[in-house]
Amino acid sequence: MVDVRILLIEDDEKLAERTAEYLQSHKATVEIVPDGERGLERAASGEHELVLLDLMLPGIDGLELCRKLRQRSKVPVIILSARGDEVDRIVGLEVGADDYMPKPFSPRELLARIRAVLRRHSAAQGDDEDSVTTGPLEIDRARRTATIAGASCELTAYQFDLLWLLATQAERVLSRNQLHAQVRALRGEPAMDFDPTVDRSIDVHLSKIRQALDAASPGRGAAMIKTVRGVGYVLSPQG
Amino acid sequence: MVDVRILLIEDDEKLAERTAEYLQSHKATVEIVPDGERGLERAASGEHELVLLDLMLPGIDGLELCRKLRQRSKVPVIILSARGDEVDRIVGLEVGADDYMPKPFSPRELLARIRAVLRRHSAAQGDDEDSVTTGPLEIDRARRTATIAGASCELTAYQFDLLWLLATQAERVLSRNQLHAQVRALRGEPAMDFDPTVDRSIDVHLSKIRQALDAASPGRGAAMIKTVRGVGYVLSPQG
DNA sequence: ATCCGCCTTTACGGGGCCTTCACGCCCCAG
DNA sequence: CTGGGGCGTGAAGGCCCCGTAAAGGCGGAT
């Protein structure tokens, strides 16, 4: 297991710390968030490859969080819960969790579950749709072609990956950080720090994409990608 | 996934209902049969594209049912079983099942497996072809000959395998990693690590193939194989 | 043992494109 | 109105991706 980015949503600080340390010693990157609100936000960011979710959280119900998360992201989730009964387990799986881990657990056991979930998930990877259509824009992942209003659009590798991410998550505002992390994840590259106030490469790429779209379909093209000032970018069909 | 007809053979009414609802919400048509006798009959009817089979059925052993079904139909089968041990899985796959899903499972994961099985199945459909024609290029797998615009083309073993893979997946961009893995699979060799930034053999072979194609049909030949910078190669009929 | 193909590796050159820098614009706060 | 931060985008530099010739290595055939 190398360079897996894990989000741990857990309010018990000591437990979280211990767990994180163990996982880090096995070459994982762990981010700890102690509350549900921000947990959901971080989990949906697309910057992690796995979410460990404690059910007993202050403020928000873990199951509800999981259901909401599932509407916004496909990231695998393992639920951690002190209530180890079967009912909880079934309910957990029903709201979209991928596995269920009763507390207390040994770190080793958790690691085994994590590996199993990641393996299953990557095995099922290939069946995501390999094309998306949003408004006049069609993107084919297998052929790596993008057409807008029927006109084909020349894109470089990085530009294509970015447009793919925006299109598969249309109507959703993505920060530069998210875009950067997701492109790296898409390519199977390890995560990297990224400071959007210094590194403007995402902006430049998006500028180029807009130019390419506009060249293929003057007027319509560039307008599809909107800038959300202070936040990031969003692809919106109706321009 | 659109309009997949699924047969669910399951006697636990509540579980069957829940599962069916989830699948229907993802655009599948689900027929539920709670007993083995009629299950086998319906499964062999050819009216479904996939069968989900619970092993613990009243009356008939699920494994036996699967074996009998396999004699009468090629419909893909996913076995559902409460006994999640490895032995059961092996036996299940041995009697002709396409995948094995231990209970309890998350509906989401089941859906992923269904998609994977369907994809494998449809991919395997067109695989028995012994020859492929894309544009001016004709490749005969049995005789191991390639002709372009009627002119025969001298290729070594590795070059032929590569061209075959590109031709059977024309218009699809394949990474060096994929090409390497698929050639090995084609020859029944075990998978191997492959770092395309270091190992340039794929590039060299493709260079040779282009030369061979161009020698056979100057102008047309080499242009058929396009390089997608930063990604891989794609064979495209119209050059 | 020697030769001969063929696959792999190495090396080098060319060029595409990712990044960075810079400048100017726009938006908003004060 | 004015200042500052966020953003668009042209230009430049350099990294690294790729094509291809050539050498090395390995097995099979004679």
Side-chain angles (χ1 to χ4, degrees):
Chain A
M1 188 162 75
V2 272
D3 280 329
V4 184
R5 295 180 293 273
I6 296 176
L7 178 67
L8 174 56
I9 308 178
E10 166 70 76
D11 62 319
D12 179 342
E13 193 179 332
K14 289 197 65 171
L15 175 60
E17 205 53 57
R18 271 211 318 276
T19 308
E21 266 173 35
Y22 183 81
L23 295 177
Q24 277 156 1
S25 73
H26 286 79
K27 308 272 178 287
T29 308
V30 182
E31 176 181 346
I32 301 173
V33 174
D35 88 283
E37 296 290 340
R38 279 198 308 136
L40 174 58
E41 203 164 313
R42 295 298 298 136
S45 73
E47 292 173 31
H48 311 89
E49 292 157 63
L50 183 91
V51 174
L52 300 174
L53 173 61
D54 180 26
L55 277 196
M56 305 298 235
L57 286 171
I60 187 171
D61 177 34
L63 288 174
E64 188 53 32
L65 193 159
C66 187
R67 189 179 295 114
K68 281 185 181 163
L69 172 61
R70 196 44 85 231
Q71 292 168 0
R72 295 167 57 184
S73 167
K74 287 183 178 176
V75 63
V77 174
I78 298 179
I79 284 182
L80 315 173
S81 170
R83 291 171 47 202
D85 57 14
E86 193 66 9
V87 176
D88 240 36
R89 178 180 174 122
I90 300 280
V91 174
L93 296 181
E94 221 163 65
V95 296
D98 295 82
D99 204 347
Y100 186 95
M101 174 117 275
K103 288 185 184 179
F105 50 80
S106 74
R108 197 173 304 118
E109 192 180 343
L110 177 62
L111 187 60
R113 297 284 186 108
I114 289 174
R115 286 196 168 119
V117 166
L118 287 176
R119 186 154 30 83
R120 286 204 302 260
H121 195 253
S122 65
Q125 263 320 36
D127 6 289
D128 312 69
E129 299 297 330
D130 49 1
S131 71
V132 280
T133 304
T134 54
L137 188 65
E138 291 179 35
I139 306 182
D140 188 320
R141 196 156 155 48
R143 299 203 286 203
R144 278 192 95 80
T145 56
T147 61
I148 179 164
S152 90
C153 185
E154 294 297 319
L155 295 173
T156 69
Y158 204 105
Q159 290 164 18
F160 182 87
D161 288 342
L162 269 183
L163 186 57
W164 170 261
L165 288 172
L166 286 167
T168 51
Q169 304 168 84
E171 300 291 2
R172 193 164 146 207
V173 181
L174 298 167
S175 73
R176 288 159 231 271
N177 253 314
Q178 289 173 4
L179 288 170
H180 182 257
Q182 289 183 25
V183 167
R184 294 193 72 86
L186 195 63
R187 301 180 165 192
E189 295 168 357
M192 263 192 64
D193 282 358
F194 182 79
D195 181 357
T197 62
V198 178
D199 192 329
R200 305 285 312 283
S201 57
I202 296 283
D203 303 62
V204 176
H205 282 129
L206 273 150
S207 169
K208 296 286 176 58
I209 294 174
R210 289 206 257 237
Q211 287 172 21
L213 290 178
D214 217 51
S217 168
R220 269 229 171 143
M224 290 195 69
I225 300 177
K226 287 184 200 153
T227 304
V228 181
R229 190 181 174 84
V231 185
Y233 297 92
V234 59
L235 189 137
S236 177
Q238 69 273 27
Chain B
M1 189 162 73
V2 271
D3 280 330
V4 184
R5 294 180 298 276
I6 296 176
L7 176 66
L8 175 56
I9 308 178
E10 165 69 72
D11 62 320
D12 178 343
E13 192 178 330
K14 288 196 64 172
L15 175 59
E17 205 53 58
R18 272 211 316 272
T19 307
E21 267 172 36
Y22 184 82
L23 295 177
Q24 278 156 0
S25 74
H26 285 79
K27 307 273 177 287
T29 308
V30 182
E31 176 181 346
I32 301 174
V33 175
D35 86 283
E37 295 292 341
R38 280 200 303 137
L40 175 57
E41 202 164 314
R42 296 297 298 133
S45 72
E47 292 173 30
H48 311 90
E49 292 157 64
L50 184 91
V51 175
L52 300 175
L53 173 61
D54 180 27
L55 277 196
M56 308 296 239
L57 287 169
I60 186 172
D61 177 36
L63 289 174
E64 187 54 30
L65 192 158
C66 187
R67 191 179 294 112
K68 279 183 181 166
L69 172 59
R70 199 40 92 230
Q71 292 168 1
R72 296 165 57 183
S73 166
K74 285 184 179 176
V75 64
V77 174
I78 298 179
I79 283 181
L80 316 173
S81 169
R83 292 168 46 203
D85 58 15
E86 195 65 10
V87 177
D88 239 36
R89 181 190 172 105
I90 302 277
V91 174
L93 297 182
E94 230 162 55
V95 297
D98 294 81
D99 205 347
Y100 185 95
M101 174 117 282
K103 290 185 185 177
F105 49 79
S106 73
R108 201 168 72 88
E109 193 177 336
L110 177 62
L111 186 61
R113 297 281 187 111
I114 289 173
R115 284 187 170 134
V117 166
L118 287 176
R119 201 165 49 88
R120 282 205 302 265
H121 197 253
S122 65
Q125 282 305 58
D127 234 11
D128 40 17
E129 297 295 335
D130 277 357
S131 68
V132 70
T133 303
T134 55
L137 189 66
E138 291 178 34
I139 306 181
D140 189 320
R141 191 161 153 60
R143 312 203 319 200
R144 284 191 88 78
T145 58
T147 63
I148 178 166
S152 89
C153 186
E154 293 298 318
L155 294 174
T156 68
Y158 203 106
Q159 290 165 19
F160 182 86
D161 288 343
L162 268 183
L163 186 56
W164 169 262
L165 288 171
L166 285 167
T168 51
Q169 303 169 84
E171 297 290 347
R172 187 183 192 91
V173 180
L174 298 168
S175 73
R176 287 159 233 273
N177 256 315
Q178 287 174 341
L179 288 170
H180 182 257
Q182 288 184 23
V183 168
R184 294 193 71 86
L186 197 61
R187 300 179 165 191
E189 296 167 358
M192 261 193 63
D193 281 359
F194 182 79
D195 183 355
T197 61
V198 178
D199 193 328
R200 306 287 311 283
S201 55
I202 295 283
D203 302 61
V204 176
H205 283 129
L206 272 149
S207 172
K208 297 287 177 59
I209 294 174
R210 289 207 256 237
Q211 288 172 20
L213 289 177
D214 216 51
S217 167
R220 269 231 169 141
M224 291 194 67
I225 300 177
K226 285 186 204 154
T227 303
V228 182
R229 191 179 177 84
V231 185
Y233 297 93
V234 58
L235 190 138
S236 178
Q238 69 274 27

